[in-house]
Amino acid sequence: MKIEWIEDFLALTEAGTFSQAAEWRHVTQPAFSRRIRQLEDWLGVELIDRHSPRLTLLPHAQAYEASLRDWLAHLYALRGRIRADAAHGPRAILTTQHTLTVSYLPRLLRHFRQHAPQARLQVRSSDRSDCIRDFQRGDADLLLCSELQGSPLLVDCAEVHRVQLGTEQLVPVCATDRFGQPIFDLENQTRLPLISYEPSSFLGGVLSSPYLLDLQRHYDVELVCETAFTIGIRELLMAGLGIGWLPHGLIESDLEAGKLASLLERLGGPMLVVACYRQSGNGASAADQLWKLINARPPTV
């Protein structure tokens, strides 16, 4: 099987005709048709309904077109990584949760680029639980994550090293009116719409008691949305659809610009810690370089 046969088939599905696809692939139409037939012979099935007056994929070809496209993309990406690793050495892999990817990670990456521009790094952004799992399985060299203050991760693992990079407040906020004041009057309102985290998520567990419990004791709380997607919660709060807690690093510019108002004095919020983890004797030399920078003077959270 030749990769060009897969590329021919995908070009055919996009072009809609054999003649146009052959032109795109810079071959004659008879040669292009032979390559499609060679792919079908290798697969052992026909892909094209040749009895139809217009180009029609058979049902199984339609069902697997996206999978073939994904396979080809992964193959080319793998080729690129192999070539880069052969030329420059293996990369360090850092895994981090989505919220930190938006808030703290850009500062950390600029720090890396400034002080170790030759160190190659790949970032994987995932849900917090997936990041921890990938790190523990050895699929990542570095783990950057948020923790509840006083409750560090992986404390029982002697081969795992931890650096605390700073703390940030989880702040209850809501949108502001045209005067820059909170749109919800906590003194006089009894009904409060809540944009909340899923109970099974990290931040959902952190807030469940006493913060959400106290809120439910003093107000008639209406749950508007429940999600683990922190960036989505920010957008809903900015739209004025409720109140909710967000990490300060994510909304610092919104608070300064008056787009969001802090309700911290009234509702309170837990303190989070941003920490980085590294497994000893694991990974590429690039990971060692970056770990030294993290232990030296990293940017503040």
Side-chain angles (χ1 to χ4, degrees):
M1 201 279 291
K2 296 182 179 180
I3 294 176
E4 68 180 14
W5 298 347
I6 303 294
E7 293 176 327
D8 290 337
F9 171 71
L10 296 176
L12 181 60
T13 63
E14 294 174 9
T17 65
F18 274 82
S19 59
Q20 183 64 62
E23 183 178 341
W24 286 1
R25 299 289 291 153
H26 306 291
V27 296
T28 64
Q29 184 172 332
F32 182 84
S33 297
R34 282 195 300 272
R35 292 191 338 198
I36 294 296
R37 181 65 76 180
Q38 286 173 312
L39 175 62
E40 291 176 318
D41 290 343
W42 184 80
L43 290 171
V45 296
E46 290 191 344
L47 301 173
I48 310 298
D49 183 357
R50 290 177 171 79
H51 301 291
S52 175
R54 50 187 300 183
L55 180 70
T56 303
L57 299 181
L58 292 171
H60 50 269
Q62 295 178 12
Y64 287 97
E65 178 191 351
S67 297
L68 287 172
R69 198 176 299 276
D70 289 343
W71 175 83
L72 192 61
H74 285 307
L75 185 63
Y76 280 130
L78 179 61
R79 182 184 69 175
R81 289 198 297 270
I82 292 173
R83 287 177 173 177
D85 286 353
H88 308 290
R91 296 167 298 176
I93 297 176
L94 182 148
T95 182
T96 188
Q97 61 206 74
H98 296 304
T99 306
L100 290 176
T101 303
V102 177
S103 59
Y104 178 66
L105 183 63
R107 276 176 282 165
L108 186 60
L109 293 182
R110 285 194 294 269
H111 180 70
F112 287 163
R113 180 174 294 180
Q114 179 182 358
H115 296 282
Q118 75 286 355
R120 301 176 61 241
L121 175 66
Q122 177 187 346
V123 175
R124 294 177 182 170
S125 179
S126 304
D127 293 336
R128 183 177 181 272
S129 58
D130 292 336
C131 293
I132 296 170
R133 179 203 62 204
D134 289 347
F135 178 74
Q136 290 179 312
R137 291 195 314 194
D139 293 336
D141 303 299
L142 303 169
L143 167 65
L144 180 68
C145 67
S146 296
E147 306 167 336
L148 178 62
Q149 190 173 49
S151 300
L153 289 168
L154 311 175
V155 292
D156 297 327
C157 301
E159 68 278 9
V160 174
H161 303 288
R162 174 183 181 272
V163 172
Q164 180 171 319
L165 298 173
T167 60
E168 69 173 342
Q169 183 77 55
L170 201 58
V171 185
V173 293
C174 69
T176 58
D177 59 23
R178 60 192 182 94
F179 301 107
Q181 298 301 310
I183 61 173
F184 298 106
D185 182 1
L186 300 186
E187 295 291 341
N188 300 307
Q189 274 183 265
T190 57
R191 174 189 166 274
L192 283 182
L194 175 65
I195 314 295
S196 184
Y197 297 93
E198 292 178 354
S200 60
S201 68
F202 165 64
L203 292 179
V206 164
L207 286 167
S208 61
S209 178
Y211 305 100
L212 289 181
L213 188 59
D214 288 345
L215 191 69
Q216 292 166 333
R217 283 176 180 153
H218 295 94
Y219 300 95
D220 181 13
V221 174
E222 175 188 351
L223 185 61
V224 176
C225 177
E226 191 174 77
T227 177
F229 188 38
T230 311
I231 310 301
I233 290 180
R234 174 186 173 273
E235 294 302 313
L236 294 175
L237 294 176
M238 293 280 285
L241 298 180
I243 69 166
W245 278 259
L246 287 171
H248 181 268
L250 183 64
I251 55 171
E252 185 175 3
S253 60
D254 299 323
L255 293 170
E256 292 176 353
K259 296 178 181 179
L260 291 175
S262 171
L263 309 174
L264 186 62
E265 290 187 6
R266 180 79 178 191
L267 301 179
M271 188 67 73
L272 302 178
V273 169
V274 177
C276 192
Y277 288 84
R278 167 89 161 110
Q279 296 196 43
S280 58
N282 182 41
S285 59
D288 294 329
Q289 290 179 282
L290 300 178
W291 184 245
K292 289 178 181 177
L293 290 176
I294 289 171
N295 278 270
R297 291 184 177 178
T300 57
V301 174

